[in-house]
């Protein structure tokens, strides 16, 4: 594989990583995470993934968000 192709693939991976991070932020916001707690919530969510080693699908994402609400309620705005 050429150096150019490797560089192109690395750039594509970086772009996808940024998009995934943005999507996770959107999911956290929609789940009620306060903007001021976003970085801490992201870190805790990712740490939870590392600990659980689950396959990564829609149900697992929802389960991880619910777990985050249970373990770190201070990240979330009060629901009415």
């Amino acid at each position: 594989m050429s150096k150019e192709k490797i560089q192109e693939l690395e750039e594509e991976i970086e772009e996808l990583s940024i998009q995934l991070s943005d999507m996770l932020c959107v999911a956290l916001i929609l789940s009620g995470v306060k903007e001021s707690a976003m970085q801490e919530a992201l870190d805790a969510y990712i740490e939870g993934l590392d600990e659980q080693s689950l396959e990564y699908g829609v149900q697992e994402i929802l389960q991880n968000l619910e777990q985050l609400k249970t373990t770190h309620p201070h990240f979330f705005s009060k629901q009415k």
Side-chain angles (χ1 to χ4, degrees), residues 20-65:
L20 282 172
S21 178
D22 289 345
M23 293 298 292
L24 178 54
C25 287
V26 168
L28 290 169
I29 289 168
L30 291 174
S31 295
V33 169
K34 297 179 282 192
E35 198 171 322
S36 62
M38 183 57 66
Q39 187 59 54
E40 287 180 280
L42 281 167
D43 293 343
Y45 182 91
I46 292 167
E47 184 178 306
L49 289 180
D50 292 342
E51 291 172 1
Q52 295 176 21
S53 298
L54 294 173
E55 288 190 32
Y56 202 67
V58 172
Q59 290 305 312
E60 290 80 14
I61 294 168
L62 291 171
Q63 182 180 13
N64 290 336
L65 289 171

Side-chain angles (χ1 to χ4, degrees), residues 34 37 40 69 71-78:
K34 297 179 282 192
E40 287 180 280
K69 287 181 181 182
T71 58
H72 296 81
H74 57 282
F75 293 158
F76 296 85
S77 301
K78 300 287 185 228

